[in-house]
Amino acid sequence: MSADEVVLAAMRAMWEAADPCPVDLTERVLFRLSLERLDVEVMAIQTALSGAGARGTEMTNTIIFESQSLALTIAVSEARMRQRRRIDGWISPSAALRVQLHGADGVLEETADEDGRFAFPDVSGGLVHFTVEPTAGAAVRLDHPVATPAIAI
């Protein structure tokens, strides 16, 4: 190994220790690239709140996503003893739209009720994102799907 290669290897080791690459960077980049190929509106995270549940073994995280078309609020409940999650969500303005959850379990789909409420009662933890799909007859008209950025649950 040349002197330059030794110095470069030492610098790489130093930066990997001081500022490691996020473990989910590849998944996030691939998600972002896949959205560029689609006609999709991407929501932004507006608020992320954490709080203890009523029972000592549960924790709830609430995240609000917003776009020009709508807002999506999700509450993620996790049992500390399990790797599964319950996700309750609300669409605003209220509408019976199809919601897809993309994650470790594949693509799960629910339709929100007329008040915009939906739930995914049993989801694997890990990186997920949501897509709200245009739905015929819904109170809110979407011209194209609306997607959230990927989040870890």
Side-chain angles (χ1 to χ4, degrees), residues 15-16 19-29 127:
W15 282 114
E16 285 177 345
D19 188 19
C21 182
V23 294
D24 61 350
L25 179 64
T26 302
E27 291 173 340
R28 289 178 186 263
V29 168
L127 200 61

Side-chain angles (χ1 to χ4, degrees), residues 22 24 87 130 148:
D24 61 350
I87 299 174
F130 299 86
T148 69

Side-chain angles (χ1 to χ4, degrees), residues 54-119:
R55 289 169 237 131
T57 60
E58 292 185 1
M59 195 67 138
T60 301
N61 294 308
T62 302
I63 303 167
I64 301 171
F65 302 94
E66 290 184 348
S67 73
Q68 290 184 358
S69 303
L70 52 86
L72 178 69
T73 302
I74 61 164
V76 181
S77 302
E78 59 183 276
R80 293 182 187 184
M81 305 303 284
R82 299 175 23 179
Q83 295 298 315
R84 308 298 288 178
R85 311 286 188 263
R86 176 183 173 85
I87 299 174
D88 292 287
W90 301 267
I91 297 170
S92 178
S94 300
L97 294 167
R98 281 191 332 264
V99 180
Q100 294 180 337
L101 182 149
H102 305 258
D105 298 325
V107 179
L108 306 175
E109 187 171 309
E110 292 289 335
T111 300
D113 65 18
E114 290 182 4
D115 293 326
R117 293 186 230 166
F118 62 91

Side-chain angles (χ1 to χ4, degrees), residues 24-37 127 150:
D24 61 350
L25 179 64
T26 302
E27 291 173 340
R28 289 178 186 263
V29 168
L30 291 174
F31 168 70
R32 209 52 188 173
L33 290 173
S34 70
L35 291 180
E36 289 181 9
R37 291 184 224 126
L127 200 61

